[in-house]
């Protein structure tokens, strides 16, 4: 067996942590392998002064890495699952999803004020339309400004800037060693997470059976089932960073419970629902919830955002 493996990743501190985590997990099962981490700069990393919704969406964080994988310059691509578009390039596959960490979002206040007690007109930093729409639905008086960068960069901007608070993912905060920082975990009934949030996705070439044998051992079945359901929901809604869409699935025994949401950009209209289904049909559960939300107002929201008749029955 060829003992050399190249892992492709973004160069951010969080991405490198995730790639090193995957490297360590592989070595637990195959200690004789020689694993190299290859940093690849993506378009999303190069453009930091604009919201993702305006520059092309989450695919900007994976495109160059996937191209390197297809060319054979790397053997494995490691991504945050929430960054992977639902449409995977031909010849590639998501081979494993790691066990999910806490998928919830957290609110970090500059002055220690709870989210519910923020004064009218408070300024919140986030570039996520999903977070913005859900919080505006609760608090239409809030003001939101774009905020991008690494976890430490965002925390520094909060401390030095004019924002009253920021929203971050709990999983990223903990992975970067900021788990003890004063924060408020936002309940799922206030802010549903991004699809796949909290899990690391490992992408390989479909034809590479050697790498598949190595990587599949890292797959966490319960997490994979849940996120497959969420991603089907997102795919049916043709969602990306341009639309406030969220979903979270929980697997219990032989049942999936999936919560989903779509909202207007201003958060004044928010359609949210839940569905349960069989654990052996996660895609069916995701599709069924998407259809339910489309039929109860979601289709109209998406048509207005996209500006075309994209979701006709």
């Amino acid at each position: 067996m060829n003992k050399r493996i190249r892992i492709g990743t973004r160069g951010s501190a969080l991405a490198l942590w995730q790639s090193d985590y995957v490297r360590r997990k592989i070595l637990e099962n195959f200690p004789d392998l020689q694993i190299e981490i290859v940093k690849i700069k993506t378009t999303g990393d190069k453009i930091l002064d604009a919201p993702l919704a305006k520059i092309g969406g989450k695919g900007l964080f994976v495109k160059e890495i996937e191209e390197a994988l297809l060319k054979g310059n790397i053997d494995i691509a490691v991504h945050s699952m929430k960054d992977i578009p639902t449409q995977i390039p031909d010849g590639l596959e998501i081979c494993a999803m790691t066990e999910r960490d806490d998928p919830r979002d957290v609110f970090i206040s500059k002055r220690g004020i709870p989210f519910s007690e923020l004064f009218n007109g408070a300024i919140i930093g986030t570039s996520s339309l999903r977070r913005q729409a859900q919080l505006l639905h609760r608090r239409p008086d809030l003001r939101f400004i774009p905020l991008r960068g690494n976890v430490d960069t965002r925390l520094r901007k909060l401390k030095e800037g004019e924002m009253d608070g920021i929203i971050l993912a709990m999983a990223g905060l903990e992975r970067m060693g900021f788990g003890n920082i004063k924060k408020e975990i936002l309940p799922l009934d206030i802010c549903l997470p991004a699809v796949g949030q909290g899990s690391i996705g490992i992408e390989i070439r479909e034809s590479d059976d050697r790498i598949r044998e190595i990587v599949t051992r890292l797959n966490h079945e319960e997490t994979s089932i849940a996120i497959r359901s969420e991603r089907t929901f997102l795919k049916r809604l043709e969602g990306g960073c341009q639309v406030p869409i969220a979903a979270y699935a929980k697997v219990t025994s032989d049942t999936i419970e999936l919560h989903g949401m779509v909202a207007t950009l201003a958060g004044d209209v928010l359609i949210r629902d839940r569905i349960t289904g069989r654990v052996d049909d996660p895609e069916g559960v995701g599709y069924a919830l998407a259809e339910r939300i489309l039929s109860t107002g979601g289709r109209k929201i998406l048509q207005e955002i996209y500006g075309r008749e994209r979701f006709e029955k």
Side-chain angles (χ1 to χ4, degrees), residues 119-267:
F119 55 87
N120 285 353
I123 300 174
I124 307 299
T126 179
S127 291
S128 165
L129 295 180
R130 168 189 63 83
R131 291 166 174 160
Q132 180 175 313
Q134 290 184 92
L135 298 184
L136 278 173
H137 188 69
R138 295 267 178 169
R139 291 285 307 272
D141 61 286
L142 296 178
R143 292 173 54 201
F144 287 83
I145 61 174
L147 177 66
R148 291 188 56 203
N150 296 333
V151 172
D152 53 348
T153 299
R154 299 187 193 196
L155 290 172
R156 176 177 52 79
K157 288 182 178 180
L158 172 64
K159 183 178 180 181
E160 299 176 354
E162 298 179 355
M163 293 172 285
D164 299 296
I166 62 175
I167 312 296
L168 296 175
M170 181 67 172
L173 203 63
E174 291 185 326
R175 289 169 186 168
M176 288 292 91
F178 294 105
N180 292 326
I181 196 170
K182 188 174 182 180
K183 59 191 175 296
E184 177 184 354
I185 297 176
L186 296 175
L188 295 176
D189 62 343
I190 291 179
C191 193
L192 275 178
V195 166
Q197 186 160 300
S199 176
I200 301 168
I202 306 172
E203 192 173 21
I204 68 169
R205 289 181 292 276
E206 286 181 335
S207 60
D208 199 334
D209 293 333
R210 176 181 77 97
I211 295 298
R212 179 181 291 102
E213 181 183 352
I214 293 169
V215 169
T216 51
R217 298 200 186 190
L218 277 65
N219 188 59
H220 187 256
E221 187 64 18
E222 183 177 302
T223 297
S224 176
I225 290 169
I227 294 179
R228 281 163 54 198
S229 179
E230 296 168 17
R231 284 173 62 80
T232 302
F233 172 82
L234 180 64
K235 185 175 183 178
R236 175 65 187 98
L237 299 182
E238 299 184 33
C241 284
Q242 296 85 2
V243 187
I245 295 175
Y248 174 66
K250 184 178 179 65
V251 174
T252 305
S253 185
D254 59 352
T255 302
I256 304 174
E257 180 178 79
L258 175 64
H259 296 253
M261 181 282 304
V262 63
T264 57
L265 298 176

Side-chain angles (χ1 to χ4, degrees), residues 9-24 37 78 98 101 171-172 174-177 198 200:
T9 177
R10 295 168 59 198
S12 71
L14 179 56
L16 291 173
W17 185 97
Q18 293 175 165
S19 295
D20 187 63
Y21 173 84
V22 170
R23 182 189 66 83
R24 288 184 280 112
I37 292 180
V78 172
T98 65
D101 292 327
E174 291 185 326
R175 289 169 186 168
M176 288 292 91
I200 301 168

